Amino acid sequence: PSLPQDIITPPPPSVTDVEDPSESTTRPSVSVGSVQAQMVARDFVERYGTFSSDAPNANNADVRDLSTAALYASLMNTDIGFEEGYYGTTTHALSFRRMEGSEDEGRVVFEVSTQREGFQGDRSSSNVIYQKATVTVVKVGADWLVDALVWEEL
């Protein structure tokens, strides 16, 4: 089958065109600290943003090891306040954007785009929303911990 005229396909590489990855020194690198900070932000948003009236405040316990002491104390003083009947939300982190900070500073602020699926009542139908969260991650000793989370107003 022929390809449409507006699609350009490169020729297959010859043996001399293939790069040896061990010889390349110009490839961009991602620091371990950057990856760790982002993983902590992702795990925190997904765990804290996922909750259920069947297990009130279990999401707070789920993020204890990912939180600074100050943030965890604040979370423990927060009550979601569920209405009658079942209610639950599942949150998935979709993408990240570094807004400020660096590993060298020991503080990174991410904007995390999420998909949140909420269930109510008999759990037969759900409502999906897309919501951003601003997550501040700080270096405490050797660990990256979340120090602040702010959900975008809907």
Side-chain angles (χ1 to χ4, degrees), residues 57-124:
N57 299 317
N59 58 332
N60 291 345
D62 289 344
V63 297
R64 182 177 191 162
D65 292 339
L66 301 173
S67 309
T68 60
L71 177 61
Y72 188 69
S74 176
L75 294 176
M76 293 311 293
N77 290 323
T78 304
D79 185 21
I80 295 174
F82 291 105
E83 297 175 14
E84 284 296 312
Y86 175 79
Y87 182 80
T89 297
T90 301
T91 301
H92 297 285
L94 302 176
S95 66
F96 296 84
R97 181 173 68 91
R98 182 189 306 227
M99 297 173 62
E100 61 185 70
S102 70
E103 295 76 34
D104 293 337
E105 293 174 33
R107 180 179 175 276
V108 182
V109 179
F110 293 102
E111 178 185 78
V112 183
S113 297
T114 68
Q115 175 186 319
R116 305 186 78 197
E117 184 174 17
F119 296 90
Q120 279 187 290
D122 64 2
R123 307 174 198 192
S124 62

Side-chain angles (χ1 to χ4, degrees), residues 18-59:
V18 176
E19 243 182 89
D20 180 356
S22 65
E23 293 177 10
S24 177
T25 58
T26 60
R27 293 179 190 259
S29 65
V30 176
S31 73
V32 172
S34 174
V35 171
Q36 289 173 339
Q38 185 172 315
M39 287 174 54
V40 167
R42 180 202 64 211
D43 288 352
F44 186 94
V45 166
E46 289 185 348
R47 291 179 190 182
Y48 183 71
T50 298
F51 53 87
S52 162
S53 58
D54 286 348
N57 299 317
N59 58 332

